[in-house]
Amino acid sequence: MMWFENIPSNVFTTVIAIYAVLFAATISVILKGVFFKADDHEELVRRVKSWWLIITLFSFAVFLDRPAAIIFLGFVSFLAFKEFISLVPTRRIDRPVLFYAYLTIPLQFFWVYEYWYGVFIVFIPVWSFLILPVRTLFAGSTDGFLRATGTLHWGLMLTVFSLSHAAYMLSLPKFNNPAAGSVGLLMFLVILTQVNDVAQYIWGRSLGGPKIVPKVSPGKTWAGFLGGVATTAVAGYFIAPYLTPFEGIHVYVVGVVIAISGFLGDITVSAFKRDMGVKNSSNLIPGHGGILDRVDSMTYSAPVFFHYVFYFCYGGHILS
């Protein structure tokens, strides 16, 4: 039996609404190209085409059975980590260590599949942190040891541990979210994170104004940030009752939490790319760069939102 047979009706409705918004955006871009010769029209066309691909893949993953959805999200983490490693200078003697680093990815998502929260939450922060440096030192060279171990573990924390929190949404008990089950929580996270990204871009381009961190991300303005937070909070207020168990003050707060954490993830990855001297992590997605470029906000919003849900909806109890 396919998982989509048990997908709550609210999730189906949300997916249809997403496609309706995307269709309207496509028509808007086409009309803008016909009647207004905007400088950014080609960029908008590429972004819309990419969004069709991204949303279709995500919708497909949502309607897969749970194991297949977890594998899909694990593959996203794999691609993000691969892009990270491709940008970071590595020593030749560290090549064998990379095998063990890549091995942590299926293991981390296996703990998700097994509902093994106790191991999931410490495997990369503790055990990988302890074991990978030992394998590195047996390579026999101390030159660059700190940089090699530090960047490798930071990459795993950013692209694997953080993103795996999105997958663990699918392992949370469904009965705590009668509105849309565990998949509803994942959809809410992804939708609001992307709404925040788009809103910040639109508000920033429309209003301009003072930069927040010009040396890190010159396009980020206070107007874009505040407009993104406000827009995401409003979106969260209307969407939360359909996809989450939140009510009361949480309906107002959760959108702000996702918006701020998503912004921090975005500029953190931007700082990393600027340090590496690149604009995009890869050219995998036309108009959008690489996978890491698309999930940069979720590197922060996924764990922050997960633990917000874990504490307020599940009482902070260990789930195993």
Side-chain angles (χ1 to χ4, degrees):
M1 182 175 65
M2 293 294 290
W3 193 28
F4 67 79
E5 297 180 20
N6 294 321
I7 293 293
S9 59
N10 284 357
V11 173
F12 278 107
T13 303
T14 302
V15 171
I16 293 173
I18 291 172
Y19 275 103
V21 171
L22 183 58
F23 181 77
T26 303
I27 297 300
S28 176
V29 169
I30 292 174
L31 293 177
K32 184 176 182 179
V34 173
F35 296 104
F36 304 98
K37 301 301 180 181
D39 295 335
D40 61 347
H41 181 255
E42 290 301 322
E43 179 183 351
L44 290 174
V45 170
R46 289 194 300 270
R47 284 176 175 266
V48 169
K49 288 181 178 179
S50 297
W51 274 116
W52 276 105
L53 174 63
I54 293 169
I55 290 174
T56 300
L57 289 175
F58 176 71
S59 300
F60 180 71
V62 165
F63 293 119
L64 290 173
D65 59 6
R66 178 178 169 273
I70 291 173
I71 290 172
F72 173 81
L73 294 171
F75 185 61
V76 170
S77 276
F78 164 78
L79 292 176
F81 181 67
K82 184 174 181 292
E83 290 178 352
F84 175 87
I85 290 298
S86 69
L87 297 177
V88 175
T90 56
R91 305 177 302 174
R92 182 176 297 274
I93 61 173
D94 290 329
R95 301 297 170 81
V97 183
L98 292 178
F99 168 78
Y100 294 96
Y102 277 109
L103 185 60
T104 65
I105 301 174
L107 287 174
Q108 177 71 2
F109 283 84
F110 177 74
W111 314 135
V112 175
Y113 170 75
E114 287 292 316
Y115 301 92
W116 204 343
Y117 179 80
V119 179
F120 159 81
I121 204 67
V122 300
F123 177 62
I124 290 178
V126 177
W127 295 110
S128 295
F129 173 77
L130 296 175
I131 294 172
L132 289 179
V134 173
R135 180 61 184 88
T136 302
L137 66 86
F138 276 110
S141 175
T142 57
D143 292 336
F145 174 81
L146 181 59
R147 173 173 293 185
T149 56
T151 55
L152 184 61
H153 190 256
W154 191 76
L156 286 174
M157 288 292 293
L158 185 75
T159 63
V160 182
F161 181 67
S162 289
L163 293 179
S164 66
H165 284 77
Y168 209 98
M169 294 285 177
L170 302 176
S171 297
L172 294 174
K174 298 179 181 179
F175 60 80
N176 286 60
N177 185 21
S182 55
V183 68
L185 294 171
L186 175 61
M187 286 199 67
F188 184 78
L189 167 67
V190 174
I191 290 171
L192 257 66
T193 300
Q194 298 308 314
V195 165
N196 181 54
D197 286 348
V198 174
Q200 285 192 22
Y201 174 80
I202 293 175
W203 284 109
R205 289 291 298 269
S206 301
L207 300 180
K211 313 291 184 180
I212 299 181
V213 279
K215 293 185 178 180
V216 176
S217 186
K220 303 294 184 185
T221 66
W222 281 105
F225 169 68
L226 296 176
V229 170
T231 303
T232 307
V234 172
Y237 172 80
F238 286 105
I239 299 174
Y242 294 96
L243 295 179
T244 76
F246 291 123
E247 55 186 21
I249 188 64
H250 298 290
V251 174
Y252 300 95
V253 173
V254 68
V256 175
V257 168
I258 290 177
I260 294 176
S261 58
F263 171 79
L264 295 176
D266 188 341
I267 61 174
T268 298
V269 174
S270 293
F272 159 69
K273 291 185 293 185
R274 188 165 290 275
D275 185 31
M276 295 297 103
V278 298
K279 180 179 180 181
N280 297 318
S281 58
S282 76
N283 296 314
L284 182 63
I285 307 174
H288 276 291
I291 292 296
L292 185 55
D293 297 308
R294 294 314 315 144
V295 300
D296 53 4
S297 298
M298 284 188 62
T299 59
Y300 273 51
S301 66
V304 170
F305 178 67
F306 173 86
H307 288 288
Y308 190 94
V309 171
F310 187 52
Y311 181 80
F312 288 107
C313 299
Y314 294 88
H317 299 300
I318 297 299
L319 306 174
S320 59

